[in-house]
Amino acid sequence: MAVVYPRKFQSSLGAMSARDILGQVVRDREIHHITLNRYRFSEQRSCKDLTDLIEQLNGQPAALVRDLSRHISDEARHAMWLTDLLTDLGADVGTPPGSSYIEEFERLLDQEQNSPDNVDDFVINSLAAINVTEKRGCEYFSAHIYALQQAPQTEENVKIRETIEKILPEEAGHVRWGNRMLAQWADKSPEYREKVNQAKQKYAAIEQAAFECGMDITLGAELRRVGNLLDIANTMPLWQRPQYLAERLPHAFLAPDLQRTRIAIAQRAWSRDPQAFVEKFIPLFLGGLNRNTPAEKAKL
Ligand SMILES: [Fe+2]
Ligand SMILES: [Fe+2]
């Protein structure tokens, strides 16, 4: 049976893995806290979504309702651990700024096809949707742990790592549960195998699109603008470049068509420390841009 894993972030800069992204995230305390708060929000929201699912199932199949109620209990505990962690760190536990991965995912869901009128299709679709987001969670949490193992072992970093290390094995359990359930449905008949495969493909595609829209804060449309600015700056003497970029980068980032998430983060980073913004954000982009051939660059 087809096994669908979340793909890496694909952009004109090439694939950026969760490890690449988290390696950058843990270097900036504010972005680190925002990322943790996004985890918290997702865990908390999944309690609500899984409760909705139980209500829609309305008691059938009972075994699935039982599994889901346990699942909600796990997710509630994860939200609690992350909320405890964030409040201990004095970090924000408000609704994260901008569009979120989870909202984008919901927006992209095909509500009509996912109506509970056909219970089997509804259950298969729901399981496939849960499964692919749980896989993404595992990928991120394990990359986050890896990044924190490489980072300075401050009291705060150790605390964050210990919290994520408590959550990850339970998320892996959720993935195994989803795999098992989907395999059981697929074993019913060739027709069901096809249904399951289609649901897996569909939700993997939806998840990937949601992820690319809402999750990654280091790449996106602004990159192309920044790329153009860097091209111009590269024609100037070295000493003139920081000034040129410092004057124009905010505009490149704050263009209205760009996502609010990244804008909020860029704005904050900028207002906090323009010098660090240039020094820390720009290398993120330069690393990717330098890998492109002139022909690829022309396409940006
Ligand atoms: Fe969780
Ligand atoms: Fe989970």
Side-chain angles (χ1 to χ4, degrees), residues 71 75 134 171 174:
H71 197 147
E75 304 301 5
E134 297 280 359
E171 301 296 5
H174 296 160

Side-chain angles (χ1 to χ4, degrees), residues 38-255:
R38 287 192 170 276
Y39 294 163
R40 178 204 63 79
F41 181 81
S42 295
E43 299 282 8
Q44 199 73 75
R45 175 61 76 88
S46 66
C47 298
K48 196 154 100 173
D49 290 344
L50 291 167
T51 301
D52 276 348
L53 181 55
I54 286 182
E55 290 181 7
Q56 282 174 300
L57 289 170
N58 196 14
Q60 289 299 326
L64 180 60
V65 172
R66 187 199 54 197
D67 284 355
L68 288 172
S69 79
R70 292 178 182 175
H71 197 147
I72 293 167
S73 156
D74 290 348
E75 304 301 5
R77 198 166 52 247
H78 302 165
M80 178 186 76
W81 286 335
L82 287 162
T83 309
D84 283 352
L85 173 72
L86 285 160
T87 49
D88 286 352
L89 299 178
D92 181 37
V93 288
T95 302
S99 68
S100 75
Y101 162 74
I102 202 159
E103 278 166 359
E104 192 62 28
F105 187 80
E106 282 168 8
R107 202 178 64 73
L108 291 167
L109 290 181
D110 183 349
Q111 291 300 342
E112 210 170 308
Q113 266 203 347
N114 209 19
S115 82
D117 296 340
N118 181 334
V119 175
D120 286 2
D121 286 4
F122 176 66
V123 170
I124 289 169
N125 282 332
S126 301
L127 288 170
I130 294 168
N131 194 236
V132 73
T133 55
E134 297 280 359
K135 279 177 183 166
R136 180 72 77 184
C138 284
E139 184 196 12
Y140 264 68
F141 287 150
S142 53
H144 203 146
I145 291 167
Y146 177 82
L148 283 168
Q149 283 164 345
Q150 316 305 310
Q153 296 304 296
T154 61
E155 200 186 324
E156 177 169 318
N157 278 345
V158 170
K159 220 170 161 178
I160 295 169
R161 181 173 50 76
E162 285 172 353
T163 304
I164 300 173
E165 279 172 347
K166 278 197 288 187
I167 300 174
L168 177 60
E170 298 196 346
E171 301 296 5
H174 296 160
V175 171
R176 284 194 301 272
W177 169 79
N179 290 343
R180 242 182 1 254
M181 299 297 288
L182 287 166
Q184 281 173 15
W185 279 101
D187 284 344
K188 281 182 189 285
S189 72
E191 189 202 342
Y192 272 86
R193 182 164 301 271
E194 188 51 34
K195 274 183 200 285
V196 168
N197 279 336
Q198 276 186 1
K200 282 183 172 185
Q201 301 295 341
K202 178 176 152 192
Y203 287 98
I206 289 174
E207 195 278 343
Q208 182 66 27
F211 171 70
E212 290 188 7
C213 277
M215 193 69 174
D216 185 40
I217 55 166
T218 61
L219 297 170
E222 61 269 55
L223 261 182
R224 289 182 277 280
R225 293 158 200 260
V226 171
N228 292 340
L229 279 179
L230 289 171
D231 281 347
I232 299 167
N234 285 341
T235 66
M236 297 177 168
L238 266 179
W239 59 271
Q240 282 181 359
R241 293 179 193 178
Q243 176 69 22
Y244 179 83
L245 290 170
E247 280 170 12
R248 284 159 189 82
L249 276 170
H251 181 76
F253 275 98
L254 304 180

